[in-house]
Each structure stands twice: as C-alpha cells, then as structure tokens.
Amino acid sequence: NAGVTQTPKFRVLKTGQSMTLLCAQDMNHEYMYWYRQDPGMGLRLIHYSVGEGTTAKGEVPDGYNVSRLKKQNFLLGLESAAPSQTSVYFCASSFRPRQGRLGEQYFGPGTRLTVT
Amino acid sequence: QQPVQSPQAVILREGEDAVINCSSSKALYSVHWYRQKHGEAPVFLMILLKGGEQKGHDKISASFNEKKQQSSLYLTASQLSYSGTYFCGTGLTGGFKTIFGAGTRLFVKA
C-alpha cells in the first residue's frame, strides 16, 4: 500500500498563477483533509471532506477550493496564488468516526509551495 | 479554538524526562498526539478519549482530564529518536475534524 501520496512535491508559482495539488489514498478512508503548515503555527485545516462529493471549510479556507469526485482523491486548488500562500501543504485521511471517536490521521509527505 | 501547547520548546539530554501539555477552552471529546520529525509528515502516536484514560506507546504515555480540558504527554528516559515536534489535536463531541496546537519542539542531545 502506498498510503497517502501527494503531487507535486515542490512548486514555485508567480503571484496570480493557479495550480492544483493532488492527494490520493489507497486505504479506503472516508475522511480527507488539507492542512497548511507555517513556522510556529502548527497545522491549520484548510478544507476537509467526509465523503465522496462532499466538502467543508476548515479554519483557513479563503483563497482555496477543493473537490472530491472520487473517494480516493482530494484536490486542492489555488485560483490566484498570493505570496501569503507560501507554505507546506499536507493532505491526510482517516476512517469516519466510530463510537464518536475521530480516527487517526495518515499524512502524505507534503508539498512545498513558494509563491513569488 | 486552537489548543494551547506548553512549553513551546524543550531541550533534553538523553535519558531525561519531559512533559508536554495541551489545553483547550472548549469541552473535548478526544485528544490526539502526533510527532513530526524535521522535513517529514506528522505521524500518529495515540488517541485519548474522555474518561481520564491513559495510554502508552513504548516509553511515551499520555493522560486526558476532560474536566480541566487538558492532556499531557509524558516522555520517559528520552532517546535521541524522540527529537521532533509534538502536536496535540483536539476533537469536539460530534465533530468531524481535529484542531491542532502550534506544536512543541523537542530536542534530545547525547
């Protein structure tokens, strides 16, 4: 099993450009998440999905869009990149809650994005 | 809403013990702990549910006091491999997501 994979691993964008980050998992997880990680700020949730065809906003959703057309894939889009979106982006997945307990999350290796 | 972790950073010598605390202003149902080594993805350590349970993972254990809305991670007889950033994540009753703290950087030196 590959677990959670992310593409690309690195990317440099100019302000105003757009791009899509792809996350794929082969563990049949229902839930998927996109986080950004900035120095000293931990992991901040951008968007998440509790199932195919559903998405919801997290803590810092502005400037991002997501789609989950297939259970195994979760796409994060930046329509018009800004320098403030320079960050490391992590995708994660987990099973749906069981007995009210959120499942452990499995993280992808991350995408390092620089916007100039 | 983000849980508060303390301390922000700690330096240990191999064999020493450490405690990392995580507190929330909201009523919690669960607390998750993850460790992230430099340049890598976070890795799950353990989940604690309300009820005051404790759990252990090798020489790393944790407790959860839902009345105080606090959790503590205990690292005993630290090893060089324990170095990294530790994150707590909190889950609310009926919630769908985990909110992570800013992290505690732990450095173990020989």
Side-chain angles (χ1 to χ4, degrees):
Chain A
N1 288 350
V4 180
T5 58
Q6 293 182 232
T7 53
K9 288 186 169 52
F10 302 93
R11 186 72 186 269
V12 178
L13 287 179
K14 293 186 185 299
T15 298
Q17 288 184 321
S18 63
M19 77 164 295
T20 299
L21 282 68
L22 173 62
C23 175
Q25 53 96 3
D26 61 2
M27 295 174 282
N28 203 32
H29 286 166
E30 293 90 355
Y31 284 26
M32 296 187 75
Y33 311 84
W34 275 108
Y35 296 92
R36 60 176 291 172
Q37 185 173 38
D38 303 294
M41 304 197 68
L43 296 155
R44 292 185 293 168
L45 183 64
I46 304 172
H47 286 281
Y48 64 101
S49 168
V50 300
E52 183 178 325
T54 69
T55 62
K57 294 180 180 179
E59 302 170 83
V60 289
D62 294 342
Y64 305 95
N65 57 74
V66 289
S67 65
R68 185 136 180 236
L69 299 179
K70 294 183 179 181
K71 185 177 183 178
Q72 63 268 33
N73 295 337
F74 196 27
L75 278 64
L76 177 71
L78 287 74
E79 291 184 346
S80 180
S84 61
Q85 293 178 304
T86 293
S87 187
V88 179
Y89 292 85
F90 286 101
C91 175
S93 67
S94 72
F95 285 115
R96 61 179 172 77
R98 291 169 181 171
Q99 297 177 329
R101 169 183 142 166
L102 285 170
E104 63 186 84
Q105 295 184 32
Y106 294 79
F107 285 81
T111 294
R112 188 173 296 275
L113 176 68
T114 302
V115 183
T116 61
Chain B
Q1 191 174 353
Q2 184 181 39
V4 177
Q5 288 186 233
S6 63
Q8 290 183 324
V10 59
I11 300 174
L12 298 174
R13 288 193 179 276
E14 211 173 357
E16 292 182 336
D17 302 339
V19 180
I20 299 172
N21 299 304
C22 174
S23 63
S24 173
S25 59
K26 291 185 177 291
L28 302 177
Y29 186 81
S30 63
V31 177
H32 304 200
W33 286 98
Y34 290 78
R35 177 170 63 201
Q36 183 180 29
K37 293 186 179 289
H38 182 70
E40 299 180 6
V43 174
F44 170 78
L45 290 177
M46 63 189 79
I47 293 177
L48 299 102
L49 301 179
K50 68 178 185 177
E53 70 170 323
Q54 293 194 350
K55 279 197 172 182
H57 173 82
D58 194 11
K59 292 183 180 177
I60 301 174
S61 62
S63 63
F64 176 29
N65 185 326
E66 72 268 23
K67 289 183 180 178
K68 292 185 177 180
Q69 296 159 201
Q70 292 178 345
S71 177
S72 295
L73 187 71
Y74 307 94
L75 296 98
T76 305
S78 59
Q79 305 167 16
L80 296 176
S81 62
Y82 286 3
S83 292
T85 301
Y86 290 78
F87 292 99
C88 72
T90 53
L92 306 181
T93 302
F96 299 106
K97 56 186 187 282
T98 302
I99 304 300
F100 287 93
T104 295
R105 297 179 66 179
L106 179 78
F107 180 68
V108 181
K109 56 184 181 180

